[in-house]
Amino acid sequence: MSEQIEKTQTGPKAIWQELSVDLVSCLRFYSRLPVPALPWEQSPHALPDFPRLARVLPLAGVVLGLLPALVLGIALLLDLGPWLAAILSVATMTFTTGAFHEDGLADTADSFGGATKQRRLEIMRDSRIGSFGAAALMLTLALRIAALATLASRIEWSGVLAALLIAASLSRTAGLMLLVFLPPARTDGASYAVGRPTPETFWFASVLAGGIAVILGLLGQFPPTGIFLMLALSGLTGLAFMRLAQRHIGGQTGDMAGAAQQVAEIAALVGLLTMLEA
């Protein structure tokens, strides 16, 4: 018996332990949350193994959406109104992630002022925000808030929370498409440094994201067509940004992946809205 216990203790980690390590690493990478180290983590402060942890990105998206969903639910239960509730929720998500994706969106929008691929990459790296970036931020924030507020006026608060979590999961999977299927546009950027996930990793993440969407969609009592449109439009957004990135800068950057996430989130929420009765 003692030999069996020793073999178990020194053997390979259980799959759930590996996935939990990937999940907390993903949360540290994509957010500003104070994620504690797990007892079985060997190097919690080491550079994340992004090609591996990307497989649980859809689940990390759900976790990142929990606090904004909680804020949204409390605000609706307190009868603060759908618009104020939506603003508080989007603000919570922005602070939770440290405006991680919003920064990428702004840099991507500003890069359209560049005449050449090299100039566009230089603009993306510039920490200053231009008129294109500011306009893109205002418009996407307004669209995200309006989509959540409109959902809150049409369905029960529990359904709005489910929609928020689904969009958080699907949109991050859409952004992952660029990092998997396009080469880095430069060799000294963050997307090059963290490594490139394999297509197998992406398909694992896609199946996970699809399962999350179906389960939460059924719990939220969404029409099947609404769930399908959330899946389809978020995926099409990822494909569109892949083509845009290839033509715009000859590859991918983290900024363009962040921009894809923001647009895919809006697309998923609007897709659901089109299938709901006014």
Side-chain angles (χ1 to χ4, degrees), residues 49-122:
D49 185 3
F50 185 75
R52 193 186 75 174
L53 64 84
R55 59 181 174 170
V56 296
L57 181 55
L59 184 57
V62 172
V63 176
L64 291 174
L66 289 176
L67 184 57
L70 178 63
V71 170
L72 178 65
I74 292 175
L76 291 174
L77 289 174
L78 291 176
D79 202 23
L80 297 182
W83 283 94
L84 180 54
I87 292 171
L88 291 173
S89 178
V90 172
T92 302
M93 178 65 87
T94 303
F95 284 114
T96 297
T97 62
F100 187 75
H101 301 294
E102 288 84 354
D103 178 69
L105 172 77
D107 288 341
T108 298
D110 278 334
S111 72
F112 281 89
T116 64
K117 293 180 180 179
Q118 186 58 39
R119 178 56 184 153
R120 292 163 192 162
L121 289 171
E122 291 174 359

Side-chain angles (χ1 to χ4, degrees), residues 12 15 35 75 83 85 87 112 132 135 142 172 186 189 194 228-229 249 256 258 269 274:
I15 186 65
V35 182
W83 283 94
I87 292 171
F112 281 89
F132 284 174
R172 283 162 177 80
R186 53 183 173 225
V194 299
F228 172 77
L229 272 182
I249 55 175
M256 293 212 72
L269 294 174
T274 61

